[in-house]
């Protein structure tokens, strides 16, 4: 039964949902791109301000839980969505066609992500996952006049539907064996059950969620969708969507005993190894920056899978720290792509040749890109180093030497193509084809946000203590 105490826990989700309704009514009344973006940003800020209030709720709402993991996921989802709104405003200013619906789709997807990170029941899990995924189809195909954008939306729609079928079939098998849909009931029902049907259900659920996370071999959609989708939609897909699904996967693996069976643990270990190595190897010779970042994202979630395999007391804290560092770095890298892109051209500034000599034209943007790629490579004094250190420390502490070796090998391979991009920024070439940012990019809200994110990468790399303390405090309150 839903009580007033339950509603307090749902305040951030209610605020974002109400903002989506306000934006929809505003679009029906009078279109105004700036006002719509402002209302969306204000709604997300209000939802973020309500998270501390939600943490004081005396009880969790039915079918959901507001533990430390859900609170951490909610804060990260809202922050990433806020940065995406800021970057989207500049990008959509040059779009020919309706602009306001993009923010409506984004807010609906954020509502789904907030529900997903707090899901404590397979019903809310499925509904929230679909509420997150369906707006993404429209966001990826938003520049439908561009062939690649429409292809990206349709490809993600078709393959996502197939992954959802696997997920539902897995849920059905597990429900048939336990008679429960809530995670606590599943934990009790699966405690003494590890037959073939239960393992099959867990594997099918892992396949469905693995698609959303681009885990090898369910990654084939990633480079094409990253390349074809509009830059703001790709940012949202690479950050909010993957963040919410990974938090859900961590909750499932931690709560349901079937995921800790030796056979399934070995399978997840193998998936982690081929994901971190495959993502880096496939990125080696990419000349398209969005595809390269797509493969890089695959590798990074392979590193994160180490926490799923290792488990232990530090697993949740490691996931939290790595997600924070991954998110700020990805926002910075894709933010530069967004600043250089224009919907007028029918494609984003994705080709590596667009970035040749960027330092000589836009030195601050080149600096942001350099910092973000150093962080992706895990170079010391950047946020990425802290995240990678945590994952390595967890692997060593749990004696997962194969995975530790995979992280080291993957990082060494990744260093090559990250450096290749960084060197390109400082190599001018006469007569090259260019796509450039506007002269006033640094005075706009998107440009200022991008600079703040870049500074945050360095601050977290030099002084990570506040971030670590925040994550550790929420980790102890998880589950």
């Amino acid at each position: 039964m839903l009580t007033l105490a339950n509603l307090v826990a749902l305040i951030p989700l209610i605020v974002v949902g109400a903002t989506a309704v306000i934006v929809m009514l505003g679009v029906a009344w009078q279109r105004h791109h700036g006002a719509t973006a402002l209302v969306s940003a204000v709604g997300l800020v209000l939802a973020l301000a309500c998270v501390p209030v939600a943490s004081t709720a005396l009880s969790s709402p039915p079918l959901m839980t507001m533990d430390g993991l859900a609170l951490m996921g909610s804060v990260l989802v809202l922050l990433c969505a806020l940065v995406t709104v800021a970057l989207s405003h500049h990008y959509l200013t040059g779009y020919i066609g309706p602009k306001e619906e993009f923010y409506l789709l984004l807010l609906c997807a954020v509502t789904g992500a907030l529900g997903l990170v707090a899901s404590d029941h397979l019903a809310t899990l499925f509904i929230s996952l679909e509420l997150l995924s369906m707006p993404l189809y429209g966001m990826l195909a938003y520049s439908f006049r561009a062939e690649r954008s429409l292809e990206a939306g349709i490809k993600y729609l078709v393959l996502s539907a197939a992954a959802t079928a696997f997920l539902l079939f897995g849920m059905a098998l597990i429900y048939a064996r336990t008679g429960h849909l809530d995670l606590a009931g599943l934990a009790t029902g699966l405690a003494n059950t590890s037959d073939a049907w239960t393992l099959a259900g867990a594997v099918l659920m892992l396949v469905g969620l693995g698609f959303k996370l681009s885990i090898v071999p369910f990654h084939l959609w990633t480079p094409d969708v990253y390349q074809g989708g509009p830059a703001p939609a790709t940012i949202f897909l690479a950050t909010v969507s993957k963040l919410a699904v990974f938090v859900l996967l961590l909750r499932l693996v931690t709560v349901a005993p079937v995921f800790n069976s030796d056979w399934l643990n070995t399978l997840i270990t193998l998936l982690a190894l081929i994901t971190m190595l495959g993502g880096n190897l496939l990125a080696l010779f990419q000349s398209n920056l969005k595809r390269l970042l797509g493969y890089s994202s695959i590798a990074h979630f392979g590193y994160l899978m180490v926490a799923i395999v290792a488990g232990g007391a530090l697993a949740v804290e490691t996931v939290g720290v790595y997600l924070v560092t991954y998110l700020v770095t990805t926002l910075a890298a894709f933010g530069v792509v967004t600043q250089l892109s224009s919907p007028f051209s029918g494609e984003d500034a994705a080709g590596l040749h667009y970035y040749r000599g960027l330092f000589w034209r836009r030195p601050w943007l080149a600096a942001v890109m350099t910092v973000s790629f150093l962080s992706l490579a895990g170079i010391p004094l950047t946020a990425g180093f802290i995240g990678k250190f945590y994952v390595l420390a967890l692997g060593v502490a749990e004696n997962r030497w194969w995975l530790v070796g995979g992280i080291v090998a993957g990082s060494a391979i990744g260093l090559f193509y990250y450096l290749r991009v960084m060197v390109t920024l400082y190599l001018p070439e006469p007569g090259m084809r260019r796509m450039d940012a506007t002269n006033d990019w640094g005075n706009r809200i998107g440009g200022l946000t991008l600079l703040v994110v870049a500074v945050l990468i360095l601050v977290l790399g030099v002084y990570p203590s506040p971030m670590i303390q925040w994550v550790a405090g929420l980790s102890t309150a998880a589950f």
Side-chain angles (χ1 to χ4, degrees):
M1 181 178 177
L2 195 64
T3 63
L4 183 60
N6 300 151
L7 286 174
V8 171
L10 288 175
I11 286 179
L13 192 148
I14 292 172
V15 169
V16 175
T19 305
V21 174
I22 293 170
V23 167
M24 181 172 60
L25 294 175
V27 171
W29 177 51
Q30 186 176 359
R31 290 183 177 276
H32 192 287
H33 180 213
T36 303
L38 181 61
V39 169
S40 303
V42 169
L44 292 170
V45 170
L46 286 176
L48 195 58
C50 291
V51 172
V53 178
S55 66
T56 63
L58 299 177
S59 60
S60 296
L63 313 184
M64 302 178 80
T65 181
M66 289 304 293
D67 57 5
L69 185 61
L71 291 171
M72 178 173 62
S74 298
V75 170
L76 295 178
V77 163
L78 291 168
L79 285 173
C80 291
L82 191 58
V83 174
T84 305
V85 168
L87 294 171
S88 300
H89 179 262
H90 164 72
Y91 182 90
L92 292 172
T93 300
Y95 179 67
I96 303 172
K99 308 173 180 66
E100 295 78 11
E101 283 82 352
F102 185 87
Y103 300 97
L104 176 60
L105 292 170
L106 185 146
L107 289 168
C108 290
V110 171
T111 306
L114 291 176
L116 197 59
V117 297
S119 292
D120 194 35
H121 194 279
L122 295 185
T124 49
L125 183 159
F126 176 71
I127 293 170
S128 299
L129 186 61
E130 290 305 292
L131 184 55
L132 169 63
S133 299
M134 288 188 178
L136 267 171
Y137 308 149
M139 292 169 69
L140 289 168
Y142 204 77
S143 301
F144 60 91
R145 293 179 180 85
E147 182 181 348
R148 287 192 181 276
S149 177
L150 193 59
E151 177 191 344
I154 294 173
K155 184 170 289 187
Y156 189 68
L157 165 64
V158 173
L159 295 178
S160 185
T164 301
F166 280 102
L167 183 68
L168 279 175
F169 195 15
M171 289 180 184
L173 289 176
I174 290 178
Y175 175 71
R177 301 301 296 169
T178 64
H180 293 280
L181 288 175
D182 60 299
L183 297 190
L186 290 180
T188 304
L190 294 173
N192 301 314
T193 305
S194 58
D195 60 5
W197 291 111
T198 307
L199 287 174
V203 169
L204 288 172
M205 289 187 68
L206 189 63
V207 169
L209 296 176
F211 166 85
K212 300 290 184 181
L213 294 172
S214 306
I215 302 299
V216 177
F218 317 114
H219 68 289
L220 296 178
W221 61 272
T222 308
D224 293 335
V225 171
Y226 273 50
Q227 180 183 358
T234 308
I235 292 174
F236 191 89
L237 177 63
T239 56
V240 175
S241 177
K242 290 194 171 186
L243 157 68
V245 175
F246 196 86
V247 168
L248 170 67
L249 179 61
L250 177 63
R251 189 183 298 281
L252 278 175
V253 171
T254 307
V255 171
V258 66
F259 286 97
N260 294 320
S261 67
D262 292 339
W263 184 85
L264 204 55
N265 200 272
T266 302
L267 175 62
I268 297 175
T269 301
L270 181 61
L271 290 176
L273 268 175
I274 63 174
T275 299
M276 63 179 74
L277 293 176
N280 282 307
L281 288 171
L282 291 168
L284 271 178
F285 303 107
Q286 292 296 321
S287 59
N288 184 290
L289 192 60
K290 290 173 75 177
R291 292 180 71 91
L292 184 147
L293 287 171
Y295 284 122
S296 171
S297 173
I298 293 170
H300 280 280
F301 276 89
Y303 302 147
L304 260 175
M305 292 283 284
V306 174
I308 298 289
V309 175
L314 278 177
V316 178
E317 183 179 343
T318 300
V319 168
V321 170
Y322 200 97
L323 280 175
V324 171
T325 59
Y326 164 80
L327 292 171
V328 293
T329 304
T330 302
L331 287 170
F334 274 110
V336 176
V337 176
T338 305
Q339 290 295 319
L340 291 176
S341 300
S342 169
F344 278 123
S345 64
E347 62 174 332
D348 290 339
L352 200 54
H353 59 277
Y354 290 129
Y355 295 85
R356 242 178 226 286
L358 180 64
F359 174 76
W360 310 108
R361 309 192 310 269
R362 300 282 180 250
W364 286 107
L365 282 178
V368 172
M369 183 68 89
T370 302
V371 167
S372 64
F373 271 75
L374 287 172
S375 184
L376 285 171
I379 302 300
L381 302 182
T382 63
F385 172 77
I386 305 299
K388 200 160 285 186
F389 175 82
Y390 255 79
V391 172
L392 275 170
L394 179 63
V396 171
E398 297 296 326
N399 295 319
R400 305 286 180 171
W401 300 111
W402 281 103
L403 292 175
V404 170
I407 295 171
V408 173
S411 299
I413 296 169
L415 192 59
F416 171 78
Y417 61 84
Y418 291 136
L419 286 174
R420 184 163 63 93
V421 174
M422 286 186 278
V423 168
T424 301
L425 301 175
Y426 303 90
L427 290 178
E429 181 179 332
M432 62 191 169
R433 182 185 173 196
R434 294 177 177 176
M435 291 182 71
D436 207 355
T438 56
N439 292 325
D440 63 341
W441 72 269
N443 297 324
R444 299 191 178 194
I445 186 65
L448 293 173
T449 304
L450 183 58
L451 292 174
V452 170
V453 172
V455 170
L456 189 60
I457 292 174
L458 296 174
V459 171
L460 291 178
V462 175
Y463 185 58
S465 295
M467 180 260 293
I468 292 173
Q469 291 171 4
W470 176 71
V471 171
L474 291 175
S475 300
T476 55
F479 314 113

